[in-house]
Every structure is written in C-alpha cells, then in structure tokens.
Amino acid sequence: MDIKVTVKQLGRKHPVLSEQKIEINYEDSVISLENLLKLIVQQQVEEFNAKSFELEDEDSAKIPIDNYLNILTDTGKVGFGSIYNLKIANVQKAQDNVIQTFEDGMFAVFYNDEQFEHLEQTIDLSLQHTFTFIRLTFLVGSYW
C-alpha cells in the first residue's frame, strides 16, 4: 500500500522532506499507529541497506548542479549520497528506537490535521491523506 509522508521541523516554513510516497507492506485499510511506524521504519531501513556503499580513497569534490547546495544547507544537512559507515542497519533496533522516541515526545504524527498521541490509536488508510511527521526540538539552557 502506498502512503504519502512529509517531514517538518518546528520553526521552519518549508518541509525538510517534501511529500513523498512510501510503499509499505500492508494490505488492510485500518492500522494502529505503532504498526504503521514500524512498517515505515522497516521500509526505510530496507531501502538504506539496499544502497551501495561507496569506498573512496580520498573525498573528491562532487559539485551539485544549480541551486541544489542552497536547498541542502536550508535543510541543515549537506550530503551527496555517499555512505561512509559500512554497518547495515538493524530493523528491530530501528523499530524499537522509533517507538521509544515517539513515547518520549521527540516527534509528533499528524494525519490530515489530526494529531496522534497514543500508539494504540487506529488510522483509516483508505482516506489516503498525507502523514506529517514533525520533529520537535527543545530549548536548552539553565534556570539561572
């Protein structure tokens, strides 16, 4: 089943990732938030693990075309598709991590303006709305 996903960060006008279609391995029209998060992570980990690892003796300059560099710096991460860490991601650890970070309030999930606050909440995928993930950042400082 295909779902539409966008990722945002508070304080930014534009999404970090524009709307993307992700294919998850699920056929039913109703799913719990916990199961959905695990399926999205599974798909992303499989996609990451399928990428080829580039080994380079020296880091050669890869000049992006047009205004691509400005777009990358606006998102806060500049990369050119090379993976320098040769470890393959573990699906189970990544799924445990996403559940823990959701429970800790590190990100919020919306489905057509409805915020999900509990992992047990069910979602009707037949409506085909866009999922929005908002990464929450916290203020750091002291009380004095």
Side-chain angles (χ1 to χ4, degrees):
M1 171 176 286
D2 287 341
I3 60 170
K4 295 180 282 187
V5 173
T6 186
V7 177
K8 295 184 179 184
Q9 182 176 352
L10 291 179
R12 294 190 183 266
K13 292 181 182 179
H14 304 289
V16 174
L17 293 175
S18 59
E19 185 176 288
Q20 295 181 344
K21 283 193 175 188
I22 294 178
E23 184 176 341
I24 59 172
N25 190 14
Y26 195 75
E27 298 301 323
D28 200 4
S29 63
V30 177
I31 189 171
S32 70
L33 178 61
E34 180 175 7
N35 197 12
L36 176 75
L37 291 175
K38 287 181 177 182
L39 288 173
I40 291 173
V41 166
Q42 177 182 349
Q43 185 273 339
Q44 293 291 299
V45 167
E46 289 171 357
E47 185 178 305
F48 173 81
N49 288 341
K51 290 182 182 178
S52 64
F53 296 107
E54 257 185 53
L55 294 175
E56 298 178 357
D57 291 336
E58 57 187 57
D59 197 6
S60 60
K62 298 175 182 168
I63 309 297
I65 57 173
D66 297 330
N67 292 331
Y68 186 63
L69 187 58
N70 292 338
I71 294 169
L72 290 175
T73 55
D74 286 345
T75 63
K77 180 178 180 185
V78 178
F80 301 104
S82 296
I83 300 171
Y84 299 105
N85 184 355
L86 299 180
K87 292 182 182 177
I88 294 195
N90 182 316
V91 174
Q92 185 60 48
K93 284 183 181 178
Q95 288 175 333
D96 293 343
N97 189 28
V98 75
I99 298 303
Q100 185 65 51
T101 54
F102 179 81
E103 288 174 343
D104 290 346
M106 301 302 286
F107 68 94
V109 180
F110 291 86
Y111 188 55
N112 192 37
D113 298 334
E114 179 187 352
Q115 181 178 0
F116 292 97
E117 297 178 1
H118 304 286
L119 292 169
E120 300 80 28
Q121 287 180 277
T122 58
I123 303 165
D124 185 4
L125 297 176
S126 65
L127 300 175
Q128 297 184 351
H129 296 301
T130 301
F131 285 95
T132 303
F133 293 87
I134 300 179
R135 186 174 73 175
L136 303 173
T137 54
F138 299 97
L139 298 175
V140 177
S142 62
Y143 292 109
W144 27 323

